[in-house]
Amino acid sequence: MADKQGTTVKDVSSHAFVKMYAEHLKRQGKIELPSWVDLVKTATHKELCPFDQDWYYIRAASIARHVYLRPHTGIGGLQKKYGSRARRGTLTEHFHKANSGLIRHILKQLEAIGVVEKDGKGRIITSTGQQDLDRIAGNLKEKEEEEDEEEGEEGSEEEEDEEAEEAGAGPQIVIQPPVITEESEKVSEADERALDLRKGYEAESAIGEPKQLYKVLEQKSTSIGPGIHGSAHQYVISENADEEKDMSSLLAKKPDEDKTKQEKEVKAKKNSYDNFKF
């Protein structure tokens, strides 16, 4: 754990510290917001006021931190710190300082709550203000270390899991046997019959023998479409399994009829050409 007494503002991140100290100032309620806080711009070259509603607390926390790190800082130095480039359209950009009136108003607010005080031309941090800022920094440091410890524990757990998986000591998967029901038995019987039909067809096609009909034992009257693998066989299953009809002969008649029809059309055209006289 971090030692709060030995932690200073220099030991923590500036962004995180300013954010945490601004929340502290807002929660404290000693700084009074001016009526123009939602209208004023932070510099003359700015177009709009800040979008963040707590921008006044954030700027006050930043100024207090800067005075802590650089004692005897005046308003002119803070104007340069919070200045920025002015956008001038197609013209060259130039540096512009921040508004001095806003910085002076914030410094007076910090003086009123005892964080900073005048010392010659500039401001310095008071002992109360230094203790207050160091305490916030200690809390922030402790919070960061706790987060780092949690991340380290999570990382170590992930490494242990990876090592266990590599060593083959991962979680054992228990495979339960499938539950056999009457429906599943019926489905399995149908699959076996289809497999037998397919094996018989493949065996005959490999030998080159003519395809024959296979006996299918069924008690219901149903019809099956074209045969396996798109063959020309069709099966009609009746209540009596011994009665089978081969539809291949009926299907074989269709191409003969088509041929005779085409031959007749050719003959008719040929006769029409022969009879035509030029």
PDB file of all heavy atoms in Angstrom, residues 24 35 43 60 79 95 118 160-161 191 216 235 243 251 275:
ATOM      1  N   HIS A  24     -13.224  17.208  -5.536  1.00  0.00           N
ATOM      2  CA  HIS A  24     -13.140  17.564  -4.119  1.00  0.00           C
ATOM      3  C   HIS A  24     -13.616  19.000  -3.883  1.00  0.00           C
ATOM      4  O   HIS A  24     -14.367  19.267  -2.929  1.00  0.00           O
ATOM      5  CB  HIS A  24     -11.695  17.400  -3.640  1.00  0.00           C
ATOM      6  CG  HIS A  24     -11.447  17.963  -2.266  1.00  0.00           C
ATOM      7  ND1 HIS A  24     -11.931  17.368  -1.121  1.00  0.00           N
ATOM      8  CD2 HIS A  24     -10.766  19.081  -1.865  1.00  0.00           C
ATOM      9  CE1 HIS A  24     -11.566  18.083  -0.067  1.00  0.00           C
ATOM     10  NE2 HIS A  24     -10.856  19.120  -0.493  1.00  0.00           N
ATOM     11  N   SER A  35     -22.242  34.166 -11.770  1.00  0.00           N
ATOM     12  CA  SER A  35     -23.470  34.060 -12.560  1.00  0.00           C
ATOM     13  C   SER A  35     -23.183  33.921 -14.047  1.00  0.00           C
ATOM     14  O   SER A  35     -24.006  33.408 -14.801  1.00  0.00           O
ATOM     15  CB  SER A  35     -24.344  35.293 -12.318  1.00  0.00           C
ATOM     16  OG  SER A  35     -23.627  36.472 -12.663  1.00  0.00           O
ATOM     17  N   ALA A  43     -10.766  32.782 -23.350  1.00  0.00           N
ATOM     18  CA  ALA A  43      -9.804  33.622 -24.073  1.00  0.00           C
ATOM     19  C   ALA A  43     -10.542  34.383 -25.167  1.00  0.00           C
ATOM     20  O   ALA A  43     -11.648  34.004 -25.574  1.00  0.00           O
ATOM     21  CB  ALA A  43      -8.686  32.778 -24.667  1.00  0.00           C
ATOM     22  N   ALA A  60      -9.785  25.793 -11.633  1.00  0.00           N
ATOM     23  CA  ALA A  60      -9.300  26.140 -10.291  1.00  0.00           C
ATOM     24  C   ALA A  60      -8.336  25.083  -9.765  1.00  0.00           C
ATOM     25  O   ALA A  60      -7.282  25.407  -9.181  1.00  0.00           O
ATOM     26  CB  ALA A  60     -10.479  26.301  -9.332  1.00  0.00           C
ATOM     27  N   GLN A  79      -1.519  33.335 -17.653  1.00  0.00           N
ATOM     28  CA  GLN A  79      -2.092  33.649 -18.958  1.00  0.00           C
ATOM     29  C   GLN A  79      -1.355  32.916 -20.070  1.00  0.00           C
ATOM     30  O   GLN A  79      -1.967  32.404 -21.008  1.00  0.00           O
ATOM     31  CB  GLN A  79      -2.009  35.164 -19.210  1.00  0.00           C
ATOM     32  CG  GLN A  79      -3.126  35.960 -18.578  1.00  0.00           C
ATOM     33  CD  GLN A  79      -3.048  37.419 -18.996  1.00  0.00           C
ATOM     34  OE1 GLN A  79      -2.287  38.200 -18.425  1.00  0.00           O
ATOM     35  NE2 GLN A  79      -3.834  37.775 -19.987  1.00  0.00           N
ATOM     36  N   PHE A  95      -0.054  32.767 -31.365  1.00  0.00           N
ATOM     37  CA  PHE A  95      -0.356  32.430 -29.969  1.00  0.00           C
ATOM     38  C   PHE A  95      -1.069  33.598 -29.307  1.00  0.00           C
ATOM     39  O   PHE A  95      -0.639  34.752 -29.434  1.00  0.00           O
ATOM     40  CB  PHE A  95       0.931  32.107 -29.218  1.00  0.00           C
ATOM     41  CG  PHE A  95       0.717  31.791 -27.770  1.00  0.00           C
ATOM     42  CD1 PHE A  95       0.289  30.546 -27.372  1.00  0.00           C
ATOM     43  CD2 PHE A  95       0.932  32.770 -26.801  1.00  0.00           C
ATOM     44  CE1 PHE A  95       0.089  30.260 -26.049  1.00  0.00           C
ATOM     45  CE2 PHE A  95       0.726  32.483 -25.465  1.00  0.00           C
ATOM     46  CZ  PHE A  95       0.304  31.224 -25.090  1.00  0.00           C
ATOM     47  N   LYS A 118      -0.873  35.564  -1.397  1.00  0.00           N
ATOM     48  CA  LYS A 118       0.049  36.461  -2.095  1.00  0.00           C
ATOM     49  C   LYS A 118       1.401  36.450  -1.406  1.00  0.00           C
ATOM     50  O   LYS A 118       1.489  36.430  -0.179  1.00  0.00           O
ATOM     51  CB  LYS A 118      -0.510  37.871  -2.131  1.00  0.00           C
ATOM     52  CG  LYS A 118      -1.667  38.074  -3.103  1.00  0.00           C
ATOM     53  CD  LYS A 118      -2.090  39.527  -3.128  1.00  0.00           C
ATOM     54  CE  LYS A 118      -3.218  39.750  -4.135  1.00  0.00           C
ATOM     55  NZ  LYS A 118      -3.634  41.172  -4.198  1.00  0.00           N
ATOM     56  N   GLU A 160      -2.084 -18.887 -14.931  1.00  0.00           N
ATOM     57  CA  GLU A 160      -2.234 -20.213 -14.346  1.00  0.00           C
ATOM     58  C   GLU A 160      -3.166 -21.084 -15.181  1.00  0.00           C
ATOM     59  O   GLU A 160      -2.915 -22.283 -15.382  1.00  0.00           O
ATOM     60  CB  GLU A 160      -2.763 -20.089 -12.916  1.00  0.00           C
ATOM     61  CG  GLU A 160      -1.732 -19.507 -11.937  1.00  0.00           C
ATOM     62  CD  GLU A 160      -2.322 -19.325 -10.555  1.00  0.00           C
ATOM     63  OE1 GLU A 160      -3.531 -19.615 -10.392  1.00  0.00           O
ATOM     64  OE2 GLU A 160      -1.589 -18.890  -9.639  1.00  0.00           O
ATOM     65  N   ASP A 161      -4.252 -20.471 -15.669  1.00  0.00           N
ATOM     66  CA  ASP A 161      -5.176 -21.243 -16.507  1.00  0.00           C
ATOM     67  C   ASP A 161      -4.498 -21.698 -17.792  1.00  0.00           C
ATOM     68  O   ASP A 161      -4.683 -22.835 -18.246  1.00  0.00           O
ATOM     69  CB  ASP A 161      -6.408 -20.390 -16.833  1.00  0.00           C
ATOM     70  CG  ASP A 161      -7.226 -20.094 -15.586  1.00  0.00           C
ATOM     71  OD1 ASP A 161      -7.071 -20.841 -14.585  1.00  0.00           O
ATOM     72  OD2 ASP A 161      -7.998 -19.119 -15.602  1.00  0.00           O
ATOM     73  N   ASP A 191     -32.766 -44.772 -41.017  1.00  0.00           N
ATOM     74  CA  ASP A 191     -31.425 -44.485 -41.527  1.00  0.00           C
ATOM     75  C   ASP A 191     -30.724 -45.752 -41.971  1.00  0.00           C
ATOM     76  O   ASP A 191     -30.023 -45.776 -42.996  1.00  0.00           O
ATOM     77  CB  ASP A 191     -30.592 -43.781 -40.445  1.00  0.00           C
ATOM     78  CG  ASP A 191     -31.134 -42.407 -40.125  1.00  0.00           C
ATOM     79  OD1 ASP A 191     -31.864 -41.865 -40.979  1.00  0.00           O
ATOM     80  OD2 ASP A 191     -30.838 -41.891 -39.034  1.00  0.00           O
ATOM     81  N   VAL A 216     -38.276 -53.257 -50.050  1.00  0.00           N
ATOM     82  CA  VAL A 216     -38.388 -52.359 -48.904  1.00  0.00           C
ATOM     83  C   VAL A 216     -39.562 -52.838 -48.078  1.00  0.00           C
ATOM     84  O   VAL A 216     -40.682 -52.908 -48.572  1.00  0.00           O
ATOM     85  CB  VAL A 216     -38.616 -50.896 -49.349  1.00  0.00           C
ATOM     86  CG1 VAL A 216     -38.683 -49.995 -48.138  1.00  0.00           C
ATOM     87  CG2 VAL A 216     -37.516 -50.468 -50.295  1.00  0.00           C
ATOM     88  N   TYR A 235     -40.214 -46.467 -57.050  1.00  0.00           N
ATOM     89  CA  TYR A 235     -40.724 -47.577 -56.252  1.00  0.00           C
ATOM     90  C   TYR A 235     -42.102 -47.218 -55.733  1.00  0.00           C
ATOM     91  O   TYR A 235     -42.332 -46.108 -55.260  1.00  0.00           O
ATOM     92  CB  TYR A 235     -39.788 -47.865 -55.071  1.00  0.00           C
ATOM     93  CG  TYR A 235     -38.351 -48.014 -55.474  1.00  0.00           C
ATOM     94  CD1 TYR A 235     -37.444 -46.967 -55.298  1.00  0.00           C
ATOM     95  CD2 TYR A 235     -37.902 -49.206 -56.032  1.00  0.00           C
ATOM     96  CE1 TYR A 235     -36.126 -47.102 -55.683  1.00  0.00           C
ATOM     97  CE2 TYR A 235     -36.586 -49.341 -56.413  1.00  0.00           C
ATOM     98  CZ  TYR A 235     -35.703 -48.298 -56.246  1.00  0.00           C
ATOM     99  OH  TYR A 235     -34.404 -48.433 -56.601  1.00  0.00           O
ATOM    100  N   GLU A 243     -45.331 -57.058 -53.298  1.00  0.00           N
ATOM    101  CA  GLU A 243     -45.800 -56.486 -54.558  1.00  0.00           C
ATOM    102  C   GLU A 243     -44.969 -55.253 -54.877  1.00  0.00           C
ATOM    103  O   GLU A 243     -44.965 -54.290 -54.136  1.00  0.00           O
ATOM    104  CB  GLU A 243     -47.282 -56.101 -54.445  1.00  0.00           C
ATOM    105  CG  GLU A 243     -48.198 -57.304 -54.265  1.00  0.00           C
ATOM    106  CD  GLU A 243     -49.641 -56.860 -54.165  1.00  0.00           C
ATOM    107  OE1 GLU A 243     -49.881 -55.643 -54.292  1.00  0.00           O
ATOM    108  OE2 GLU A 243     -50.519 -57.713 -53.975  1.00  0.00           O
ATOM    109  N   LEU A 251     -41.119 -44.935 -68.019  1.00  0.00           N
ATOM    110  CA  LEU A 251     -40.288 -43.755 -68.272  1.00  0.00           C
ATOM    111  C   LEU A 251     -39.479 -43.907 -69.547  1.00  0.00           C
ATOM    112  O   LEU A 251     -39.147 -42.917 -70.204  1.00  0.00           O
ATOM    113  CB  LEU A 251     -39.344 -43.519 -67.082  1.00  0.00           C
ATOM    114  CG  LEU A 251     -40.024 -43.154 -65.767  1.00  0.00           C
ATOM    115  CD1 LEU A 251     -38.991 -43.134 -64.637  1.00  0.00           C
ATOM    116  CD2 LEU A 251     -40.712 -41.803 -65.874  1.00  0.00           C
ATOM    117  N   ASN A 275     -42.586 -30.543-102.544  1.00  0.00           N
ATOM    118  CA  ASN A 275     -43.785 -30.129-103.270  1.00  0.00           C
ATOM    119  C   ASN A 275     -43.740 -28.663-103.714  1.00  0.00           C
ATOM    120  O   ASN A 275     -44.551 -28.243-104.545  1.00  0.00           O
ATOM    121  CB  ASN A 275     -45.031 -30.358-102.431  1.00  0.00           C
ATOM    122  CG  ASN A 275     -45.220 -31.843-102.119  1.00  0.00           C
ATOM    123  OD1 ASN A 275     -44.839 -32.701-102.937  1.00  0.00           O
ATOM    124  ND2 ASN A 275     -45.801 -32.139-100.967  1.00  0.00           N
TER     125      ASN A 275
END
